[in-house]
Amino acid sequence: MSLLDDYAHITGDDVIAHLRQLAAPFSGAKVVHVNSTRVGGGVAEILTKMVPLMQELGIDTSWEVITGESQFFECTKGMHNTLQGNQIHISDTLLKVYEQTNANNAESMREVLTEADFVFIHDPQPAALLQHFPNRKGKWIWRCHIDASHPYRPVWKYLRQFIAPYNASIFSLAAFARELPHPIYLIPPSIDPLSDKNIELKPGAIQHVYERYSLDPERPLILQVSRFDRFKDPVGVIEAYRLAKKYIPSLQLVLAGGEATDDPEGSIVLSEVQEAAQGDPDIHILLLPSDAHLEINALQRVSNIILQKSIREGFGLTVTEAMWKAKPVIGGDVGGIRLQVIDHHTGFLANTPEGAALRIRYLLNQPDKINEMGNKARIFVRDNFLITRHLREYLTLMVALLYGSQDRIELSRSNLQPHQR
Ligand code: UDP
């Protein structure tokens, strides 16, 4: 059975038929994705599935990874942080390494990128490749996965000179987009329903987390999964739990985050969280390894309600993951949480611990509401935030770039000409 069939079980056959229809004009076309790592991080996770899905649709898709020395990654880490708002100076020496590394990679990828019909360049690391392909025949698209809403100006100005000549750019949310002299597309991220983080679990695997983390299956449980970061407001979650617990004494809270890393701020926030918990045996602070996908999946499934009380948030994939498991989410009224939590329908938006506590009590007192909102949440994710939608939008973008200057685009198989090369 094909990978597409696996997704058809989840999305329905018509979604897959639509993908096939959109992909038809690109049969045999060459598409190349370029990023900076094959494993680790959201971009690699998406490409791991996106590339085989495009191949199955008959598109000759490949995935190239830019390689460089440590100074290159030091520079691009700085670019990432400055695009997200940190005011850090990046030295000319590092910028020279960035340009030289892109020049070297352009040589090693010359054939595949010159021949490609569409090139998706992910994030800043490989952004400077384009200038080395003056005779390219394909359309080049810069795909920004970063919250670039308030970039440090000097670094954005520097990067912009490489990005401006692209045929199009993609940002995840309107708020993240920058002004550029080409079409901008807004394509939100997605989750993969077949990944370990989201796949259906057998009852045994779900039961297992109760024992493993000493949780009581008979008592209500609320969960926030997040790095220990002040923007995720874990201390606010504890306050909301305390306020709700006055009325629901059996309430349990799990705060699941990554195990202590070399991020000094992470350990400070973790100590603040531990202090706020004051040894309450019903507050479970879990430090999970970065590959604990099945555990997080199970924790999300055993919880009655999921919190994401962020005070700033990019998209909030934890929200998508929770909603996919048919859980109502009480989330901060910020960033991408607003795209997902439709207040009073798929969950509640709350700005304060008091507001969150009120919603926790409301929902725990009405199990029917939890089910009703949870089911709406799952349908909302199915229709908007699965990888199949992400793929559909990439294909739609390719159609738009291919036929963009024409007055009429007919998206039916019989009317589409085979891809012109
Ligand atoms: N995550 C995880 N372990 C943790 C905390 C988070 O695996 O201890 C995952 C979480 O399930 C989600 C991603 O990391 O897939 C976090 O993405 P999100 O957009 O919610 O927040 P970010 O950390 O990117 O700000």
Side-chain angles (χ1 to χ4, degrees), residues 1 9 15 42 86 123 135 141 162 177 214 224 236 249 331 371 400 411-412:
M1 200 164 71
H9 287 305
V15 167
N86 287 1
D123 285 338
N135 300 321
I141 302 121
F162 301 116
S214 311
Q224 175 157 305
N371 290 336
L411 289 177
S412 105

Side-chain angles (χ1 to χ4, degrees), residues 34 98 102 119-131 136 139-143 159-170 180-183 401:
V34 186
Y98 172 72
N102 269 268
V119 177
F120 287 83
I121 296 286
H122 295 264
D123 285 338
Q125 296 92 337
L129 285 173
L130 175 110
Q131 60 179 336
R136 67 187 183 275
K139 310 276 187 197
W140 284 52
I141 302 121
W142 185 59
R143 197 324 174 202
L159 275 172
R160 194 182 183 282
Q161 63 179 322
F162 301 116
I163 294 162
Y166 278 71
N167 297 93
S169 289
I170 306 174
L180 284 160
H182 54 232
L401 289 178

Side-chain angles (χ1 to χ4, degrees), residues 315-336:
F315 182 68
L317 282 172
T318 51
V319 173
T320 333
E321 290 159 9
M323 289 171 63
W324 177 240
K325 284 141 201 153
K327 304 294 169 177
V329 173
I330 300 175
D333 189 4
V334 288

Side-chain angles (χ1 to χ4, degrees), residues 197 225-227 232 256-258 290 293 296 313 316-318 321:
K197 185 68 72 57
V225 177
S226 275
R227 292 177 292 109
K232 308 286 185 182
S290 58
H293 305 305
I296 290 179
E313 188 57 77
L317 282 172
T318 51
E321 290 159 9

Side-chain angles (χ1 to χ4, degrees), residues 48-297:
T48 300
K49 278 293 169 60
M50 186 68 84
V51 170
L53 281 170
M54 285 182 122
Q55 286 167 345
E56 267 201 40
L57 288 168
I59 304 169
D60 181 359
T61 313
S62 59
W63 177 5
E64 301 288 331
V65 174
I66 191 167
T67 54
E69 303 293 330
S70 61
Q71 278 197 319
F72 171 70
F73 292 104
E74 188 187 327
C75 178
T76 57
K77 178 92 208 277
M79 287 173 170
H80 185 106
N81 290 339
T82 47
L83 284 188
Q84 305 224 96
N86 287 1
Q87 315 239 323
I88 313 163
H89 175 71
I90 301 180
S91 71
D92 286 348
T93 315
L94 286 185
L95 295 179
K96 284 279 160 292
V97 172
Y98 172 72
E99 288 173 35
Q100 190 55 50
T101 305
N102 269 268
N104 297 345
N105 278 269
E107 285 323 305
S108 53
M109 297 178 196
R110 180 149 301 281
E111 196 180 329
V112 65
L113 293 184
T114 306
E115 286 302 305
D117 298 295
F118 294 90
V119 177
F120 287 83
I121 296 286
H122 295 264
D123 285 338
Q125 296 92 337
L129 285 173
L130 175 110
Q131 60 179 336
H132 301 287
F133 293 87
N135 300 321
R136 67 187 183 275
K137 65 173 189 172
K139 310 276 187 197
W140 284 52
I141 302 121
W142 185 59
R143 197 324 174 202
C144 179
H145 297 267
I146 300 171
D147 173 354
S149 48
H150 301 96
Y152 178 49
R153 294 275 159 190
V155 174
W156 171 247
K157 198 168 157 224
Y158 170 80
L159 275 172
R160 194 182 183 282
Q161 63 179 322
F162 301 116
I163 294 162
Y166 278 71
N167 297 93
S169 289
I170 306 174
F171 292 87
S172 290
L173 300 178
F176 297 177
R178 309 300 316 152
E179 186 279 320
L180 284 160
H182 54 232
I184 304 283
Y185 289 81
L186 300 178
I187 302 187
S190 59
I191 58 165
D192 178 5
L194 299 178
S195 69
D196 282 350
K197 185 68 72 57
N198 298 306
I199 202 156
E200 294 293 329
L201 295 176
K202 298 212 165 66
I206 298 177
Q207 289 300 323
H208 173 69
V209 293
Y210 286 122
E211 289 151 36
R212 175 139 191 206
Y213 300 115
S214 311
L215 303 170
D216 183 347
E218 303 300 323
R219 291 161 51 196
L221 175 64
I222 56 178
L223 164 74
Q224 175 157 305
V225 177
S226 275
R227 292 177 292 109
F228 290 102
D229 179 317
R230 289 205 185 88
F231 287 128
K232 308 286 185 182
D233 198 17
V235 172
V237 171
I238 293 181
E239 284 173 41
Y241 153 86
R242 285 239 159 77
L243 291 167
K245 196 171 170 81
K246 282 187 200 157
Y247 300 88
I248 305 169
S250 59
L251 189 59
Q252 308 172 89
L253 166 67
V254 171
L255 286 166
E259 55 192 358
T261 62
D262 51 3
D263 171 10
E265 197 162 281
S267 352
I268 296 169
V269 176
L270 175 59
S271 337
E272 288 169 7
V273 169
Q274 281 161 337
E275 195 178 315
Q278 294 171 356
D280 181 337
D282 286 335
I283 301 180
H284 302 260
I285 300 167
L286 308 182
L287 306 179
L288 303 176
S290 58
D291 60 353
H293 305 305
L294 289 167
E295 279 82 0
I296 290 179
N297 185 341

Side-chain angles (χ1 to χ4, degrees), residues 21-22 24-25 399 403 409-419:
Q21 183 186 21
L22 277 172
V399 169
Y403 296 96
I409 304 172
E410 292 192 21
L411 289 177
S412 105
R413 206 180 277 235
S414 56
N415 285 323
L416 283 167
Q417 296 301 309
H419 182 63

